[in-house]
Amino acid sequence: MKIKLLALLSVLFLLIGCATMMGDRTVNVTGEQIAQKLNEKLALPISLLKVFDVNLTNSLVTFDKTTGRMITTMDTKLSSPLLNKSLAGQLGISGKLRFDAATSSVVLDEPKIEKLNLMGADNKYNDLLNALASTVGGEILNGLTLYTVKPDDLKFGDTTYSPKNMVVTDSGLQLTLTPQR
């Protein structure tokens, strides 16, 4: 009986030792995952100055590892009581990405409206809407949560992981999680 207990304790200590020697883990986040979150978060119309309603759909997300920015294009539909019809087009957004350790999430920082192009609107009207979108859009999108690390990724066996680093690659994001000791 003592030999079995001793063997069981030896195996248990071996497993505990292996768990504490575990290294960093990497979680990869794709552009498709970020696009899905953007589509969910921006599904409701955005009201600008109580004059314009903007619907954003079909996000296409890419990454630029050189600048560390995310680039997104979205289908856009603009309606207003001032217009006789709705206008459709494309909206281009870019922004830096930051990992918020307190919430274990990736958030959008320094968003910039790159270009709003509405079909059927003359150049002067498009320029006016671009100026409005640049001013108001950045404020609305700043700090938007784009991805939250799943609890399963932060726990493996008895080992709890915490975020250590985030790298923007051309194909997505690499989040490095390190074991807490």
Side-chain angles (χ1 to χ4, degrees):
M1 187 69 163
K2 288 184 180 181
I3 294 176
K4 288 182 183 179
L5 181 61
L6 185 59
L8 181 63
L9 287 174
S10 297
V11 169
L12 182 62
F13 285 126
L14 178 65
L15 290 174
I16 290 171
C18 288
T20 57
M21 292 189 311
M22 286 184 166
D24 292 346
R25 297 181 73 200
T26 301
V27 174
N28 293 306
V29 183
T30 65
E32 290 81 20
Q33 290 172 294
I34 300 287
Q36 181 180 3
K37 274 294 184 201
L38 273 171
N39 289 335
E40 290 171 11
K41 295 239 179 212
L42 301 174
L44 297 174
I46 299 168
S47 181
L48 299 176
L49 305 174
K50 298 183 182 182
V51 176
F52 298 100
D53 287 328
V54 180
N55 290 327
L56 302 170
T57 56
N58 300 325
S59 299
L60 178 61
V61 174
T62 58
F63 300 93
D64 182 350
K65 74 177 182 182
T66 306
T67 62
R69 292 181 78 82
M70 174 187 81
I71 299 101
T72 306
T73 57
M74 303 181 85
D75 290 340
T76 304
K77 182 178 170 188
L78 179 79
S79 58
S80 171
L82 304 175
L83 302 173
N84 294 341
K85 60 182 178 178
S86 294
L87 298 173
Q90 291 277 311
L91 175 68
I93 303 167
S94 72
K96 288 192 175 196
L97 301 174
R98 171 179 57 85
F99 192 81
D100 181 31
T103 61
S104 297
S105 55
V106 176
V107 296
L108 183 61
D109 262 356
E110 301 176 27
K112 181 179 176 191
I113 305 299
E114 296 293 339
K115 184 73 176 165
L116 174 61
N117 186 20
L118 297 171
M119 294 176 279
D122 64 26
N123 287 341
K124 192 174 184 179
Y125 195 65
N126 256 327
D127 290 345
L128 174 68
L129 290 174
N130 266 287
L132 176 65
S134 293
T135 304
V136 179
E139 292 174 19
I140 292 171
L141 296 171
N142 196 42
L144 183 69
T145 299
L146 300 173
Y147 180 83
T148 302
V149 178
K150 297 175 188 108
D152 295 350
D153 290 330
L154 294 172
K155 186 106 170 138
F156 185 75
D158 288 338
T159 305
T160 301
Y161 288 81
S162 62
K164 177 181 177 182
N165 191 21
M166 180 183 75
V167 176
V168 176
T169 69
D170 285 336
S171 60
L173 304 175
Q174 278 187 334
L175 303 173
T176 304
L177 307 174
T178 190
Q180 292 180 338
R181 305 215 193 277

